[in-house]
Amino acid sequence: LVVLPLEVPVFAPIDSQCEGTALAPLPTVSQNGISGTWTPELNNLVTTTYVFTPNPNECAESTSLVIEILPISVPAFDQVSAICQGEDLLPLPSTSLNGVNGSWTPEVNNQVTTLYTFTPSPGECASSVTMEIEVIPLIVPEFSAIDPICPGEMLMELPLISNNGIQGTW
């Protein structure tokens, strides 16, 4: 009588996956030819240990495989303060405060208020975020015309507030 040792099914490890990513079905045949089934069902929301149970006619033992599920992070950025039209507007950072790399679209525009979208780089487990940067249009102060005066006459004091509400000095 010869007793054969139980063979151990061999499977390639599976890279970490982002939460919600579609998971490919686990193979029902190991790399060393052992057939069987996996339990529990695939879950793309939480890290799970899956158990491979060989079919009854296989001379093999069960084995397990862990699929790590990484949570989706939300990139965080400091809000850019409003600027006046035409003022310098620096490029937006390509790395968030919490370490997510990506890029912004469209390109920064210092002429009009714009909604920018940050898209994480491939492989980052992160969502897209938006940031609106307000660009305040330049307003030209408007004043009523001053009636002509004769030489030596007193000139009235010039107004410190324009007709359209802008305060300033002369």
Side-chain angles (χ1 to χ4, degrees), residues 13-82:
I14 296 177
D15 292 336
S16 298
Q17 303 291 310
C18 295
E19 182 180 2
T21 301
L23 300 176
L26 294 172
T28 57
V29 178
S30 70
Q31 291 175 334
N32 52 343
I34 300 168
S35 299
T37 57
W38 291 95
T39 54
E41 289 188 33
L42 290 175
N43 183 345
N44 64 357
L45 300 177
V46 64
T47 297
T48 304
T49 299
Y50 298 94
V51 176
F52 180 79
T53 304
N55 290 336
N57 62 341
E58 300 284 352
C59 192
E61 61 185 61
S62 294
T63 191
S64 63
L65 179 68
V66 175
I67 300 178
E68 180 184 22
I69 302 297
L70 303 173
I72 299 294
S73 64
V74 177
F77 295 93
D78 288 331
Q79 176 65 47
V80 175
S81 299

Side-chain angles (χ1 to χ4, degrees), residues 86-108:
E87 281 185 355
D88 287 341
L89 182 57
L90 298 174
L92 296 170
S94 60
T95 301
S96 70
L97 296 172
N98 53 340
V100 177
N101 295 306
S103 59
W104 290 92
T105 54
E107 293 207 18
V108 293

